[in-house]
Every structure is written in C-alpha cells, then in structure tokens.
Amino acid sequence: MKKILLSLLAVVMMAFVVTSCSSDDSSSDNAYENLIGTWNKVADVQTGSTTDIEDCIDKERLAFSSNGTLTITSFSGTDFNNCQEVSTTNGRWEYLGSNNYLIYPVGTTITNENRPLYSYVITFHNNNVEMRRFVQLAHQTGINSYERYLRQ
C-alpha cells in the first residue's frame, strides 16, 4: 500500500514539474501569435467612454496572417445587420516587441520619420478573444483611446 501511495505521489509530482516547466506564452518567439486571425471592430473607447459600433461605416474587419500580411475590410449600408463590403485594403504588420506593432498599407515605405504614424499598442483580453488597438503617436504622453475588436 505504501508503494502505491509513493508511486502515485511520484506521478503527481512529475505532472507538476512538467506543467511548471512548459514554455511561457509571452516569450518573444510567440508573443504575436494571439494576433493571428480575423477580428471584428465592436467599439471605440475614448477616455473611458465606450461607443458601440452600430453604423456600417464604422464597422471594420482585420485579418492578420502569420506571414506578416493584413487585410482590412470596410463596410457600408443603412442597416447594420446587412452591411456590404465596400473596400479591402492589403497591408503588412510587424511585431516590434512589448505589445508594439507596425501596421501599414502595402507599398508604404517605413522610415524613422513616419514610423510613429503606423505604430500601435495591441493588448489581448478575455482569453484572447478581445483585442484592443491603441494608437501610439510620438507626441502623445499617454493613450486614452482605443478600438475594441472581438475574434471572429
């Protein structure tokens, strides 16, 4: 009986060691993996005030691919439940580290002068089904507004 308990204890301890030594999801190698997928804009938040997206013109879909490409889809229409796709813009994205990303249209040359115009801080919430895209401009001392997206 003692051998069985010791064996069971050893198995439990091995399981603890294996799970505690697993890779960290926030490592620099895979920190951007949460971004990959399709995201639908659901709200604009400015200084704590949330405005839900209820108009087709404000609706937006972002599709991030693992190869660094991005597709931005815009919509139009009079009934939010029946919005029509009106334009698709192809872009690129780059992970800069520390939740900072460059997002820019294809054909744009990024220089030190225009880099702040395309820089975003992106954070993930609610088990990675919610994304918040904060615009980071060089002249800002703090970020008070962001766009809220949900994973499709």
Side-chain angles (χ1 to χ4, degrees):
M1 182 67 163
K2 209 175 203 181
K3 275 187 172 182
I4 293 172
L5 286 175
L6 286 174
S7 296
L8 183 60
L9 182 61
V11 169
V12 169
M13 289 183 71
M14 279 298 277
F16 177 74
V17 170
V18 169
T19 58
S20 65
C21 292
S22 64
S23 67
D24 184 4
D25 287 345
S26 63
S27 73
S28 60
D29 292 342
N30 64 356
Y32 63 85
E33 288 179 359
N34 291 330
L35 183 69
I36 306 306
T38 302
W39 300 87
N40 293 308
K41 185 176 177 183
V42 294
D44 287 312
V45 179
Q46 294 187 355
T47 317
S49 175
T50 301
T51 304
D52 291 335
I53 302 300
E54 297 176 350
D55 187 359
C56 290
I57 197 103
D58 294 325
K59 188 175 179 181
E60 180 180 66
R61 182 173 54 228
L62 305 175
F64 294 91
S65 297
S66 60
N67 65 359
T69 60
L70 163 70
T71 302
I72 303 169
T73 305
S74 301
F75 297 85
S76 184
T78 55
D79 179 8
F80 185 73
N81 294 319
N82 293 310
C83 297
Q84 304 295 315
E85 291 184 17
V86 292
S87 70
T88 301
T89 304
N90 293 316
R92 306 252 340 134
W93 67 270
E94 295 176 35
Y95 180 63
L96 303 175
S98 301
N99 294 331
N100 287 295
Y101 295 81
L102 282 179
I103 298 174
Y104 52 93
V106 168
T108 302
T109 301
I110 301 297
T111 64
N112 287 335
E113 289 78 34
N114 71 0
R115 181 174 291 267
L117 298 176
Y118 298 100
S119 179
Y120 297 89
V121 174
I122 295 178
T123 60
F124 301 94
H125 306 271
N126 301 323
N127 293 321
N128 300 323
V129 297
E130 178 184 342
M131 174 180 80
R132 296 178 185 172
R133 183 172 77 161
F134 299 83
V135 177
Q136 179 72 50
L137 296 176
H139 66 276
Q140 290 180 319
T141 56
I143 303 173
N144 295 326
S145 63
Y146 62 89
E147 298 168 328
R148 189 170 153 249
Y149 294 81
L150 294 179
R151 187 178 296 278
Q152 183 170 311

